[in-house]
Amino acid sequence: MANLPELTPGRMLGTWQADPFGIAAVVVLGGLYAWGVVGLARRGERWPVARTLAFAVLGLGTTAVATMSALAVYDRVLFWPAAVQNILLDLIAPLGLALGDPLALARRALPARAGERLERALRGRLVRTLTFPLLSTVLVLASELSIYFTPYFETALRHGAVHQVMYLQLVLTGCLFVLPMLSHEEMLPSWCGYPVRALFVFVDGLVDAVPGIVVMTSSTLIAGGWYRAHTPGWGPGADRDQQIGGGLMLTIAELVGLPFLIAVFVEWVRAEKGATAALDRRLDEELAAAPAPRPAAAADDAGAAAPEPGMMRPWWETDQGAIGERFRRGQG
């Protein structure tokens, strides 16, 4: 560790090491996701390629970069690679995993009974409490601050097993907020529609900037005993190193906020299109089932009574169903 060469752009791209957490995440999560996609394909159902790419590239790819690239190699001698590593696991990897919508995939790919159990678990009190937007935002913030401003982080630098636990904590707490926002599974309260979700994402983006600001401006050196003893001669001083790390945390947190907000708006548009298509199908079915009106001339020739005035009005004015009501509101 003390003999690590200077971190250059070339070494930043070409230096890698194996990591148990990174390998397990890619193999286990990637394998389960692939099993779900293949299972649907065998039943003749398609799963969006874009979601698969988001899960594999942005989700698992970011996890691999954070845990096995030069960021992981140099995180014990410089603070800023560790800071970038942690923010990737806390914000970007969960976003990629959520865009893949693994929960919806699992429910569809599992046998019917297992899918129902999964659905009940996702709607259970514990999951709904932990994923409630305001609480999950607080949990993400508390997770980050507890890492940097308690002995936790320095302990993780000294002990590999604790470091693995920290990786897992970062990914899980990040998923608590992101997964419910982008999943097609109903994990949020009924009042938390897409406009409310967009508001929560905006607020969460502001809160995500707090750890970077605190780290960058703190007069307390994070894991100071460790980094003072291990900072290489070619690196910045420990104080400057922490300022760089905090600045990078702030930058990445702000950059990821906009794509997250865009993703919520895209899901919002898709949901509106789906609702409109469902309404059109229902309208077509009701029109097809309605009896055809008799021509007025034929009715007079047969000596029938003239049509009631209401029958000459547009159909949506006399229809008593939900579709007629919606059309009347639109006309008003």
Side-chain angles (χ1 to χ4, degrees), residues 13 43 49-50 57-58 62 101 109 114 121 132 156 183 196 206 235 258-259 308-309 321:
L13 296 175
R43 299 205 307 253
V49 175
V57 177
L58 188 58
T62 298
D101 203 358
F132 185 76
S183 177
V196 179
L206 299 178
L258 181 59
E308 296 181 8

Side-chain angles (χ1 to χ4, degrees), residues 221-311:
L221 192 61
I222 298 172
W226 176 271
Y227 281 116
R228 283 196 182 97
H230 295 87
T231 299
W234 47 261
D239 293 326
R240 178 59 179 163
D241 184 23
Q242 181 169 313
Q243 292 176 355
I244 294 173
L248 290 172
M249 289 173 62
L250 175 60
T251 301
I252 295 173
E254 292 305 300
L255 288 176
V256 78
L258 181 59
F260 190 4
L261 193 60
I262 291 174
V264 172
F265 275 107
V266 169
E267 292 297 328
W268 187 358
V269 171
R270 287 176 177 172
E272 289 296 321
K273 287 183 177 179
T276 301
L279 178 62
D280 289 342
R281 287 194 299 270
R282 182 178 172 184
L283 176 59
D284 291 339
E285 292 171 358
E286 290 197 5
L287 290 177
R294 297 175 60 189
D300 292 341
D301 292 342
E308 296 181 8
M311 297 297 293

Side-chain angles (χ1 to χ4, degrees), residues 175-265:
C175 287
L176 286 178
F177 180 81
V178 180
L179 269 177
M181 290 291 172
L182 297 177
S183 177
H184 287 167
E185 299 301 300
E186 294 298 330
M187 302 172 63
L188 297 173
S190 58
W191 52 264
C192 194
Y194 283 99
V196 179
R197 295 185 192 192
L199 176 61
F200 278 135
V201 169
F202 177 76
V203 172
D204 184 74
L206 299 178
V207 175
D208 286 339
V210 172
I213 295 173
V214 174
V215 168
M216 184 171 55
T217 60
S218 175
S219 58
T220 302
L221 192 61
I222 298 172
W226 176 271
Y227 281 116
R228 283 196 182 97
H230 295 87
T231 299
W234 47 261
D239 293 326
R240 178 59 179 163
D241 184 23
Q242 181 169 313
Q243 292 176 355
I244 294 173
L248 290 172
M249 289 173 62
L250 175 60
T251 301
I252 295 173
E254 292 305 300
L255 288 176
V256 78
L258 181 59
F260 190 4
L261 193 60
I262 291 174
V264 172
F265 275 107

